[in-house]
Amino acid sequence: MSGAMQDWTMRVTAVLDHAAREAGQREIVTRWADGSETRTNWIGIRRDALKMAQALIALGVKEGDRVASLAMNHSRHLVSWYGVAGMGGVLHTINPRLFDDQLEYIANHAEDRVLIYDAAFQSIVDRMKPLWPSIEHYICFDNGEFEAWIGQQDGDFEWVEGSERDPCMLCYTSGTTGNPKGVLYEHRSTVLHAIAGLQPSAFNFSPSSVMLPVVPMFHAASWGLPYSGAMAGIKFVFSAVNDPAILDELMKREGVTDSAGVPTVWLAHFQYCDAQGIDLPALKAATIGGSAAPKFMIERLMKNGTRVQHAWGMTETSPIGTVGGPTWDWEHLSFDEKVAKTAMQGRPVFGVELRIVDLDDMSTALPRNGTTSGALQIRGPWVIKRYFKAEQDATTADGWFDTGDVAIIHPDGTLQLTDRTKDVIKSGGEWISSVELENAAVGHPSVAEAACIGMYHPKWDERPVLFVVKKEGAALSASDVIDHLKPLIAKWWLPDAIEFVDDIPHTATGKISKKDLRERFSDYRLAE
Ligand code: ADP
């Protein structure tokens, strides 16, 4: 016997239809790179997306074809998310900060046919064009070009229908090892993920929410915000430039209540407001993810009345895995306890399951006791099954995807990331968390940044070495750092050496690149 409810195909175009129908007048504001501003609304986004779908078909783009974007956050980029999906295409959002060899690799691997780009990235386009043979059409988002292109169409169009398992978006991981790998999101996975983002324990949107996403639209689908926000019918404020002065002015003038970004974004914002002697914007909620949010950041935002939603996820998980909204016992926790809890990576939203397994024997699941750490695995309808064009599944036989992260799970479900499997340091058969060492080190007022890697040691296999960037003008010695660390970590975790460096290498998504750091110090030898 089957159930007796209606068929309803989960396509992302239904999300935009809903926004235009139910929250049509809600504004979408863009501050462009040239300083100008435009205002449209969900009805306008839908009208333009319909025209764009027609314009792509007129170019000869077929269902399943990849259309690439090389762009920051703005309303035209938002139009293209829905316009491409609306004609059955796949939007491939390219990260403009990738290195040339990665840019070359991913556009060719994706076999992109069209590229739509910001004028700010004209030099990338000029440089890469000869290396991108599959791209037949280049369209600039700026200088009136995009508007003129879609303006040739009348918008009298019905979204292309198809299976909810059809792909709608392609994102490549930045590839800290080997070539970048493509993650092909489906209409269904995207819609389910966006609904999950609406949970009060996740983005907690209401119709009065005004969101300025600082997380770029090319970074793991901007964490699904352009879909969740459309479902909730919120107002969006976009800035095509990531400058704290511009973001601050926009947040205050446009009544922004919510924002989302990686920790460095908040750091830059603090520095800007401190230098100007002005208040931080009065946000209701800030989602922080992509890297661990340091305690002082959480503390400062919370003291400013902002709810901090510390989230963990990855491109392979669409990306929401866990989010750290308030827990049931929130009212009973002290301020310090709230900060400590928020510094962990939150709890799974409905739809994903997490488990930790033994690092040496991945078939053994470990307890969620708040102390045991293991390799973190995840499964759920918006978690990757297979990389784009890969021959084999990326999951275990029983459907778990191995995240490459090392974590502890607490009895209340809170996830606490302790390291990456590649970075955890094995000393005398015991594990040392490089991330915990780094977090402890950056708590020193003279430390700007710290990165810890395991170096070969003849007796212990590996021992931690901590690379430290001092704050400008700070006087800091290796023994100052060790004295600071002593009360914070186990004695046998203390680094064997502290090395002061001018800078620490970063990946295209702003994370510390330990691969590059290891390469830079490949001749480094620890004294025995
Ligand atoms: P990339 O930035 O390399 O494209 P992702 O954005 O997919 O890749 O990065 C995912 C990884 O980022 C996770 O596996 C985890 O190691 C790290 N990460 C994400 N969120 C957090 C967080 N809140 N705390 C610590 N690490 C995080």
Side-chain angles (χ1 to χ4, degrees):
M1 190 171 71
S2 57
M5 307 308 275
Q6 299 184 2
D7 289 330
W8 194 84
T9 315
M10 277 185 247
R11 301 274 291 186
V12 297
T13 39
V15 178
L16 182 59
D17 288 347
H18 172 83
R21 201 169 49 232
E22 312 301 340
Q25 305 298 334
R26 207 70 176 114
E27 273 186 314
I28 313 288
V29 181
T30 302
R31 197 271 185 199
W32 299 91
D34 65 4
S36 63
E37 274 179 29
T38 54
R39 283 168 195 273
T40 177
N41 56 27
W42 286 111
I43 291 174
I45 297 291
R46 182 171 183 273
R47 183 191 55 230
D48 287 354
L50 287 164
K51 289 184 182 176
M52 182 180 176
Q54 289 175 303
L56 286 167
I57 291 171
L59 286 184
V61 176
K62 301 271 183 290
E63 279 178 49
D65 282 354
R66 271 76 65 198
V67 175
S69 67
L70 189 67
M72 298 303 290
N73 295 2
H74 49 69
S75 55
R76 292 178 201 132
H77 203 176
L78 184 65
V79 165
S80 68
W81 279 39
Y82 291 103
V84 174
M87 55 73 53
V90 177
L91 182 74
H92 170 204
T93 49
I94 300 182
N95 179 350
R97 295 178 202 137
L98 293 178
F99 302 116
D100 282 8
D101 56 343
Q102 295 174 321
L103 289 170
E104 178 183 356
Y105 175 84
I106 64 170
N108 286 311
H109 187 265
E111 298 171 78
D112 295 327
R113 292 193 58 200
V114 180
L115 178 81
I116 316 176
Y117 64 97
D118 285 357
F121 304 127
Q122 185 67 50
S123 63
I124 300 181
V125 171
D126 293 343
R127 199 167 68 230
M128 299 305 298
K129 236 180 195 175
L131 303 169
W132 283 339
S134 68
I135 303 181
E136 300 152 50
H137 306 279
Y138 288 84
I139 297 150
C140 183
F141 271 126
D142 300 296
N143 312 324
E145 210 178 309
F146 181 78
E147 250 81 26
W149 174 56
I150 64 169
Q152 295 164 14
Q153 307 298 328
D154 59 10
D156 184 11
F157 182 73
E158 298 279 328
W159 302 125
V160 166
E161 289 175 9
S163 159
E164 60 187 25
R165 303 302 297 263
D166 285 348
C168 63
M169 191 177 258
L170 177 63
C171 277
Y172 281 75
T173 63
S174 61
T176 37
T177 50
N179 275 326
K181 291 190 279 243
V183 184
L184 194 59
Y185 303 138
E186 300 165 352
H187 283 265
R188 171 179 179 266
S189 72
T190 305
V191 171
L192 289 172
H193 176 263
I195 296 174
L198 290 179
Q199 296 177 43
S201 56
F203 296 131
N204 191 33
F205 285 141
S206 79
S208 58
S209 301
V210 181
M211 158 62 78
L212 192 161
V214 187
V215 53
M217 293 176 84
F218 55 76
H219 191 188
S222 218
W223 304 348
L225 290 164
Y227 302 115
S228 291
M231 283 181 177
I234 68 166
K235 168 176 165 179
F236 269 111
V237 180
F238 293 115
S239 174
V241 182
N242 262 352
D243 178 277
I246 295 170
L247 297 177
D248 193 70
E249 195 272 328
L250 274 175
M251 283 178 179
K252 289 173 180 163
R253 172 160 52 88
E254 292 295 330
V256 170
T257 57
D258 292 72
S259 189
V262 295
T264 44
V265 163
W266 301 105
L267 208 56
H269 213 124
F270 290 174
Q271 283 164 358
Y272 169 75
C273 289
D274 292 346
Q276 300 293 312
I278 56 175
D279 289 339
L280 286 175
L283 298 183
K284 287 203 178 118
T287 303
I288 308 182
S291 308
K295 266 197 178 144
F296 76 89
M297 184 173 289
I298 295 168
E299 223 168 71
R300 181 152 178 197
L301 287 165
M302 276 174 43
K303 280 191 180 144
N304 197 46
T306 301
R307 159 176 155 162
V308 177
Q309 295 157 179
H310 187 190
W312 166 85
M314 44 200 316
T315 304
E316 286 89 337
T317 65
S318 292
I320 304 176
T322 58
V323 190
T327 46
W328 66 271
D329 55 352
W330 205 242
E331 300 303 313
H332 307 292
L333 301 182
S334 68
F335 183 78
D336 288 348
E337 285 169 334
K338 287 179 184 169
V339 172
K341 198 156 216 181
T342 308
M344 294 191 249
Q345 276 74 10
R347 287 149 292 281
V349 292
F350 171 76
V352 295
E353 290 173 66
L354 296 180
R355 71 168 188 183
I356 49 170
V357 296
D358 194 302
L359 279 167
D360 294 318
D361 164 21
M362 303 272 253
S363 61
T364 307
L366 297 174
R368 304 164 151 240
N369 57 13
T371 51
T372 308
S373 70
L376 178 66
Q377 299 188 332
I378 184 169
R379 64 181 180 191
W382 56 83
V383 176
I384 189 163
K385 181 177 167 68
R386 182 180 286 212
Y387 288 103
F388 184 45
K389 292 185 176 173
E391 306 265 307
Q392 282 170 350
D393 287 353
T395 51
T396 60
D398 45 355
W400 292 93
F401 173 70
D402 192 64
T403 64
D405 285 322
V406 183
I408 292 170
I409 302 180
H410 290 256
D412 73 349
T414 301
L415 176 71
Q416 181 186 356
L417 281 210
T418 58
D419 220 327
R420 304 275 304 159
T421 6
K422 293 188 295 287
D423 299 333
V424 65
I425 298 160
K426 201 162 194 181
S427 171
E430 301 282 349
W431 300 103
I432 297 177
S433 157
S434 67
V435 172
E436 263 180 67
L437 267 172
E438 289 156 10
N439 287 346
V442 293
H444 191 289
S446 300
V447 172
E449 198 172 21
C452 184
I453 52 178
M455 290 289 187
Y456 172 72
H457 188 284
K459 179 162 174 208
W460 302 107
D461 254 351
E462 278 186 332
R463 288 295 300 158
V465 173
L466 187 70
F467 294 86
V468 173
V469 182
K470 291 183 209 176
K471 280 203 180 141
E472 228 176 286
L476 185 71
S477 68
S479 55
D480 292 339
V481 178
I482 295 286
D483 288 345
H484 167 78
L485 293 175
K486 267 183 190 158
L488 302 174
I489 54 173
K491 197 162 165 240
W492 63 276
W493 279 33
L494 284 174
D496 277 28
I498 308 284
E499 301 292 343
F500 292 103
V501 290
D502 292 338
D503 70 293
I504 285 171
H506 290 96
T507 66
T509 45
K511 290 173 199 175
I512 291 175
S513 171
K514 298 218 177 151
K515 183 179 130 218
D516 291 331
L517 191 64
R518 278 191 202 99
E519 269 166 28
R520 201 190 277 182
F521 288 94
S522 56
D523 295 333
Y524 189 91
R525 293 288 172 269
L526 271 175
E528 284 175 36

